[in-house]
Amino acid sequence: MLNVAEAYARVLSTTRPLPPETVALPAAAGRLLAQDLVADRDFPPFHRVAMDGIALAHAAWAAGQTEFAIEGSQFAGAPSVPLQSPLAAREVMTGAVLPPGTDTVVRYEDLSLADGRATLLIPPPEKPGTHIHPRAADRRAGELLLPAGTRLGPAELAVAATVGAAQVQVQRRARLAVVSTGDELVEIDATPLPHQIRRSNAYALQALLQPAGAEVSLFHLTDELSSLRSGLTNILAAGFDAVVLSGAVSKGRADHLPALLQELGVQEIFHEVSQRPGKPLWFGARAGGPVVFGLPGNPVSTFLTACRYVRPWLQACQQGLAPPLPPLALLTEEVVFRPQLSYLLPVRLHVDAQGRRLATPRPTGGSGDLAGLIGADAFVELPAGESVFPAGSAWPAWEI
């Protein structure tokens, strides 16, 4: 039986880059850029006025002139109008093109303006250029702005917009099939009989994996073998990058999936991990097709193993590299766990006044205690081989 680290390494070894697709820029938020974006012109593309005030020739001011006739105004978005007289000035607004013939801007706060003339109230600077954002000061035309592989956040989208990238190539989102199994499950809008329960794992997995960048399709299959075989055959051939199964991977008489998956050409990579919850975890891959996660069906097992293995696999595919291991958190109380298994313990995280990341245990009533996850926002991974984990000890804390 593999330990958690070995299982995790085998899962990550199957990640692969996703092909690109072209989308409209607004739809690219949060996506991974699949092309280089370069400056289509200088940044800024002209000498830009950086303060409201007047623009003038520094030489006249430095020669002792303190009063300037105002020839007119230069607004942002208007074509530039040259200064007619080197002894005059032009009113300018922030963002406007600097009028040709001027090289210095004086703020309104530093002058008085009356009867079409400006009187300067401060001495001239040593050199021209005050309150001017020079052309190409930020980037030059043709310069690389966003290399392929950049995640497109708000600042990156703004840069893409300013170079006219109305459509961009981005990495395609991973396509995941989330498949619940079991005759005991009914739809969420149904009234279950005493021996039935409503589907919940599929919706938890969808809510976990969609924010991580996946396109998730939901399916449900019964335990009847021929129906299970037919449904899986179709799903495995449907072009998904991964199939995430919930249930039917343990040793019960209705747990057909391990044998059936191999019958359908999915090569087993491992089955069972020395962890609780989630020991029966199954993982495999089909040549030329998807990877397959067979998650245990109990809801706590399903959710925590998806957090520990499926989401990192997805993130590695989306980002091109394995996600870093999570930061440590300090237990706020002692935990005793005697089985020789890694323990995925739900916790509530908070930061104390000293900036320490603290984890307060919120143990569930077992792997079937779905409501026990309410209030937990992470789980700490406690290693096998120890049975007492004292308060104040530090362990990796995976946010959920």
Side-chain angles (χ1 to χ4, degrees), residues 1 4 273-279 281 305 309 341-342 344:
M1 189 188 312
V4 171
V273 181
S274 58
Q275 62 188 12
R276 182 180 290 175
K279 181 180 175 183
L281 177 66
T305 53
Y309 300 99
L341 303 168
S342 293
L344 309 183

Side-chain angles (χ1 to χ4, degrees), residues 57-279:
H58 179 269
W61 192 10
Q65 182 178 340
T66 59
E67 187 174 294
F68 291 78
I70 302 300
E71 287 188 352
S73 300
Q74 182 76 57
F75 292 91
S80 64
V81 178
L83 195 66
Q84 299 301 308
S85 168
L87 303 181
R90 184 176 295 279
E91 282 194 75
V92 290
M93 310 303 154
T94 301
V97 177
L98 184 71
T102 69
D103 57 14
T104 298
V105 171
V106 184
R107 303 181 307 165
Y108 280 129
E109 297 93 324
D110 299 323
L111 57 86
S112 65
L113 196 61
D115 300 325
R117 304 187 70 81
T119 301
L120 307 187
L121 306 177
I122 60 173
E126 292 184 2
K127 55 185 180 180
T130 303
H131 303 313
I132 296 170
H133 192 181
R135 176 175 179 168
D138 300 335
R139 298 288 190 276
R140 295 192 175 276
E143 188 174 341
L144 179 64
L145 298 175
L146 299 174
T150 300
R151 187 160 298 281
L152 294 171
E156 291 78 15
L157 284 178
V159 168
T162 205
V163 300
Q167 294 188 315
V168 291
Q169 276 200 337
V170 294
Q171 188 183 74
R172 175 174 63 73
R173 293 189 187 277
R175 297 168 182 156
L176 271 59
V178 169
V179 186
S180 56
T181 64
D183 293 341
E184 74 279 16
L185 301 178
V186 298
E187 292 300 326
I188 57 176
D189 58 355
T191 300
L193 298 173
H195 59 280
Q196 296 175 322
I197 57 175
R198 295 184 181 93
R199 293 174 67 198
S200 60
N201 287 351
Y203 298 102
L205 293 174
Q206 184 179 46
L208 175 71
L209 300 173
Q210 279 186 168
E215 294 178 356
V216 177
S217 299
L218 300 184
F219 301 87
H220 177 70
L221 300 176
T222 68
D223 288 327
E224 197 276 320
L225 185 55
S226 62
S227 176
L228 194 59
R229 179 183 290 109
S230 174
L232 276 180
T233 298
N234 292 334
I235 291 169
L236 290 170
F240 292 105
D241 299 296
V243 176
V244 183
L245 299 155
S246 173
V249 293
S250 191
K251 299 183 183 299
R253 292 180 62 186
D255 292 336
H256 302 302
L257 283 178
L260 181 56
L261 286 167
Q262 294 195 67
E263 174 191 322
L264 297 177
V266 183
Q267 179 67 42
E268 178 183 307
I269 295 175
F270 64 79
H271 188 191
E272 296 193 344
V273 181
S274 58
Q275 62 188 12
R276 182 180 290 175
K279 181 180 175 183

Side-chain angles (χ1 to χ4, degrees), residues 308-328:
R308 185 61 178 86
Y309 300 99
V310 183
R311 186 172 57 182
W313 179 90
L314 173 61
Q315 291 169 332
C317 289
Q318 304 275 86
Q319 298 169 5
L321 71 166
L325 291 175
L328 304 180

